[in-house]
């Protein structure tokens, strides 16, 4: 089997990757197991040394890695650079905090000493998506490695050049052989890896449909799993919000990465008395976005990552227009570029409301009350993030508790931060990444009792 990397802007094949045989996979798993056995015995200083080296090498080679990302999946260069730099800050964060997060926690009981201690688990498999091809891999791998595990990655088939580049980054940073390996395999072959008795757990980031399959496999082989799945984040604008800022941030939150972000604002829920102001400003902002070749400086949005993704988004648009949505801007397709699109009058019966739209599609509906806004926000199978815009911060805090989502941001776009746990509820998945919660996901949380 051979995999092709296709530049989504030029449609040209830029690299090919030979698929691994069953024998190759077995060898990689065995190598990973040997690396784990030795890595788990190393002290935290040794692990921190690797994280520091990874961070330095990411920063030194930011332009090189950014170009690989942009050429392979089409995000604009400034966003690719930001992604690489974010990976470096993640390494810095765990270099500073891993020891504290993994420290034994004494517990007062009837024992002479009792405590909780965090031990590594073994080989952890990461099955990862293409949309943030460096960040998603590192967000999973760095805390897992800092906790003393070894890591295998099955990256998305359209970004195997990025996978190769990350593997080389680990070599450049003097990681022990086999500690981090990328498997050049397709989705169907993932079961073989999960089934291996040497693999202890799986972390999946991707669609809800595939996430359900991974969870089924994890259950079948009794392996721990974390699922980071899709989202249809609400962006709620109340009457007392700063509309100018809400539009500015809202358009960015929707159009970043050509709309291909799990935590992009997807359903804009606007109070009726400010809806006209919001729409007028949003229309101007969407129309002003510079689209084109993502390798050119100044371009704000490039192509979507694959042709099939363009088609799926277009189907969601067509069906929603048939059901009464109003097209205010965009809706045009050129190659793999989907022009930034603004829709009004969307309803819960339309795919743009009840499905995840993974592209530059800003879908707006209006509501008459705050209660209706929260009801609409929660009227979704997903529960990843939500953004609330209001100048009344006490109200915002109270409303945040009514939102069914793993992340609520007030007067800001939803984002991930190394110091805060990240993850979803409902069909957006389970488990948490980042912060102290993320590093503990792939540990054996061991109780110790000494009498
Ligand atoms: P996807 O189609 O679910 O693919 C994700 C990964 O699963 C890829 O590596 C894919 O490999 C693999 N895969 C496909 N079929 C499989 C199977 N039957 N068994 C095992 N693995 C299989 O998702 P995507 O299109 O890459 O990513 C977009 C989705 O990810 C969106 O829904 C987005 O919201 C979500 N996402 C969530 C987060 C989060 O943190 N919650 C972050 C980013 C993205 P192949 O490429 O070889 O098919």
């Amino acid at each position: 089997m051979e995999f092709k990397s296709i530049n989504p802007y030029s449609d040209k094949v830029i690299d090919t990757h030979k698929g691994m045989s069953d024998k190759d996979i077995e060898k990689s798993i065995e190598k990973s197991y040997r690396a784990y056995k030795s890595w788990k015995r190393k002290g935290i200083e040794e692990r921190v040394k690797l994280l520091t080296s990874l961070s330095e090498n990411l920063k030194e080679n930011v332009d090189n890695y950014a170009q690989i990302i942009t050429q392979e999946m089409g995000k604009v260069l400034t966003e690719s650079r930001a992604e690489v730099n974010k990976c470096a800050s993640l390494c810095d964060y765990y270099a500073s905090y891993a020891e504290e997060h993994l420290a034994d926690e004494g517990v007062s009981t009837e024992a002479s000493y009792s405590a909780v201690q965090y031990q590594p688990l073994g080989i952890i498999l990461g099955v990862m998506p293409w949309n943030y091809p460096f960040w998603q891999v590192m967000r999973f791998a760095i805390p897992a490695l800092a906790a003393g595990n070894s890591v295998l990655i099955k990256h998305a088939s359209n970004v195997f050049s990025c996978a190769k580049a990350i593997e080389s980054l680990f070599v450049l940073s003097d990681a022990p052989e086999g500690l981090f390996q990328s498997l050049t395999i397709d989705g169907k072959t993932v079961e073989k890896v999960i089934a291996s008795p040497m693999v202890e757990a799986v972390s999946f980031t991707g669609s809800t449909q595939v996430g359900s399959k991974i969870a089924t496999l994890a259950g079948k082989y009794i392996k721990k799993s974390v699922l980071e799945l899709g989202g249809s984040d609400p962006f709620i604008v109340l009457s007392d919000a700063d509309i100018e800022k809400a539009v500015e941030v809202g358009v960015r939150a929707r159009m970043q990465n050509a709309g291909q972000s799990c935590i992009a604002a997807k359903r804009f829920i606007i109070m009726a008395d400010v809806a006209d102001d919001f729409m007028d400003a949003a229309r101007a902002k969407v129309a002003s976005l510079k689209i084109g070749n993502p390798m050119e400086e100044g371009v704000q949005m490039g192509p979507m990552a694959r042709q099939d993704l363009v088609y799926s988004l277009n189907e969601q648009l067509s069906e929603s227009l048939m059901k009464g949505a109003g097209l205010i801007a965009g809706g045009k397709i050129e190659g793999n570029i989907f022009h930034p699109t603004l829709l009004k009058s969307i309803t819960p019966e339309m795919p743009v409301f009840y499905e995840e739209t993974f592209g530059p599609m800003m879908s707006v509906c209006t509501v008459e009350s705050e209660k209706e806004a929260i009801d609409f926000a929660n009227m979704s199978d997903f529960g990843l993030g939500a953004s609330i815009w209001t100048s009344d911060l006490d109200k915002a805090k109270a409303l945040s508790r009514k939102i069914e989502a793993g992340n609520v941001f007030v007067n800001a776009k939803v984002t991930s931060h190394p110091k805060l746990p990240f993850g979803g509820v409902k069909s957006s998945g389970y488990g948490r990444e980042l912060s102290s919660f993320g590093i503990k996901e792939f540990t054996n949380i061991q109780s110790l009792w000494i009498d």
Side-chain angles (χ1 to χ4, degrees):
M1 187 181 280
E2 192 179 71
F3 300 92
K4 289 188 174 78
S5 292
I6 299 172
N7 177 320
Y9 184 70
S10 67
D11 252 342
K12 292 212 170 84
V13 176
I14 50 172
D15 208 350
T16 53
H17 314 271
K18 189 169 166 286
M20 293 170 93
S21 65
D22 286 355
K23 194 88 213 131
D24 295 332
I25 298 169
E26 267 168 45
K27 275 193 200 154
S28 285
I29 294 175
E30 279 161 16
K31 217 202 273 187
S32 185
Y33 192 65
R34 283 196 297 278
Y36 160 64
K37 287 284 190 192
S38 139
W39 184 244
K40 72 178 224 182
R41 285 196 297 271
K42 303 248 192 256
I44 192 78
E45 302 79 30
E46 196 76 13
R47 298 183 203 158
V48 165
K49 207 169 117 195
L50 172 61
L51 301 190
T52 307
S53 176
L54 287 165
S55 168
E56 283 166 7
N57 286 320
L58 281 161
K59 285 177 206 153
E60 263 173 41
N61 296 292
V62 60
D63 283 327
N64 172 31
Y65 294 136
Q67 289 198 8
I68 297 171
I69 296 174
T70 295
Q71 282 174 355
E72 200 172 32
M73 58 69 66
K75 77 177 63 182
V76 295
L77 265 183
T78 42
E79 290 177 342
S80 297
R81 286 193 202 103
E83 180 173 339
V84 177
N85 283 321
K86 190 167 177 175
C87 293
S89 30
L90 174 78
C91 296
D92 293 340
Y93 170 77
Y94 280 110
S96 303
Y97 289 95
E99 186 171 11
E100 182 184 319
H101 292 334
L102 297 170
D104 294 353
E105 290 166 20
V107 179
S108 168
T109 63
E110 302 89 321
S112 51
Y113 176 73
S114 52
V116 179
Q117 45 195 23
Y118 300 97
Q119 309 274 26
L121 277 181
I123 302 177
I124 318 293
L125 170 69
V127 182
M128 293 292 138
W130 47 265
N131 63 335
Y132 288 89
F134 267 58
W135 170 246
Q136 300 298 351
V137 169
M138 299 297 268
R139 186 176 79 178
F140 148 67
I142 293 303
L145 293 169
N149 303 291
S150 65
V151 157
L152 291 172
I153 297 288
K154 185 295 191 239
H155 215 329
S157 307
N158 56 323
V159 289
F160 278 148
S161 295
C162 287
K164 252 191 216 167
I166 301 171
E167 213 174 28
S168 317
L169 164 72
F170 276 84
V171 174
L172 183 67
S173 309
D174 287 329
E177 205 197 337
L179 188 69
F180 177 99
Q181 296 174 74
S182 161
L183 304 174
T184 314
I185 56 174
D186 64 7
K188 287 195 279 310
T189 314
V190 165
E191 176 163 6
K192 287 201 179 84
V193 186
I194 296 179
S196 165
M198 280 181 269
V199 173
E200 291 295 335
V202 54
S203 182
F204 174 79
T205 302
S207 64
T208 298
Q209 292 78 355
V210 177
S212 165
K213 290 183 188 168
I214 295 280
T216 304
L217 291 174
K220 179 173 169 189
Y221 296 103
I222 324 281
K223 305 288 165 89
K224 164 87 190 259
S225 63
V226 165
L227 297 183
E228 296 285 357
L229 309 179
S232 185
D233 287 5
F235 187 99
I236 302 166
V237 180
L238 301 182
S239 307
D240 60 354
D242 176 342
I243 300 298
E244 201 182 320
K245 188 162 174 225
V247 169
E248 157 86 34
V249 176
V251 170
R252 215 169 345 116
R254 174 65 275 206
M255 302 301 173
Q256 63 185 344
N257 215 29
Q260 305 161 121
S261 167
C262 54
I263 43 169
K266 288 172 187 147
R267 295 172 298 136
F268 288 75
I269 300 167
I270 317 292
M271 286 292 281
D273 56 348
V274 290
D276 286 347
D277 289 350
F278 184 90
M279 275 319 254
D280 289 346
R283 186 199 333 236
K285 186 89 195 146
V286 166
S288 74
L289 289 174
K290 189 168 177 215
I291 51 178
N293 184 348
M295 292 294 281
E296 269 173 32
E297 298 294 344
V299 168
Q300 292 167 298
M301 207 191 88
M304 291 180 67
R306 291 192 318 247
Q307 199 178 47
D308 59 299
L309 300 164
V310 176
Y311 292 157
S312 312
L313 188 67
N314 198 37
E315 270 176 30
Q316 290 173 310
L317 172 63
S318 305
E319 195 180 328
S320 300
L321 291 177
M322 265 174 4
K323 287 185 170 167
L327 183 64
I328 303 298
K332 225 171 71 185
I333 295 167
E334 279 175 290
N336 288 331
I337 290 188
F338 203 110
H339 283 243
T341 298
L342 179 62
L343 292 179
K344 67 168 188 178
S345 311
I346 66 149
T347 65
E349 292 73 37
M350 299 174 186
V352 293
F353 191 106
Y354 65 77
E355 291 178 350
E356 177 181 37
T357 50
F358 216 58
M361 178 103 61
M362 185 166 175
S363 307
V364 183
C365 62
T366 52
V367 287
E368 299 293 337
S369 68
E370 283 163 14
K371 183 184 176 308
E372 199 185 356
I374 300 297
D375 288 348
F376 264 50
N378 289 338
M379 209 182 284
S380 171
D381 291 341
F382 298 104
L384 193 53
S387 190
I388 304 174
W389 289 76
T390 171
S391 49
D392 183 342
L393 300 187
D394 288 334
K395 180 164 65 185
K397 252 189 184 170
L399 291 178
S400 72
R401 294 180 196 280
K402 297 185 179 171
I403 297 271
E404 297 162 0
N407 313 273
V408 179
F409 281 61
V410 175
N411 298 333
K413 74 185 174 72
V414 180
T415 187
S416 54
H417 191 289
K419 289 189 170 175
L420 286 168
F422 183 88
V425 295
K426 298 160 82 176
S427 294
S428 292
Y430 52 74
R432 290 293 179 267
E433 290 193 296
L434 302 174
S435 77
S436 64
F437 292 91
I439 198 169
K440 286 171 182 159
E441 283 286 3
F442 295 115
T443 58
N444 167 13
I445 302 173
Q446 190 177 57
S447 295
L448 175 67
W449 176 290
I450 300 178
D451 229 343

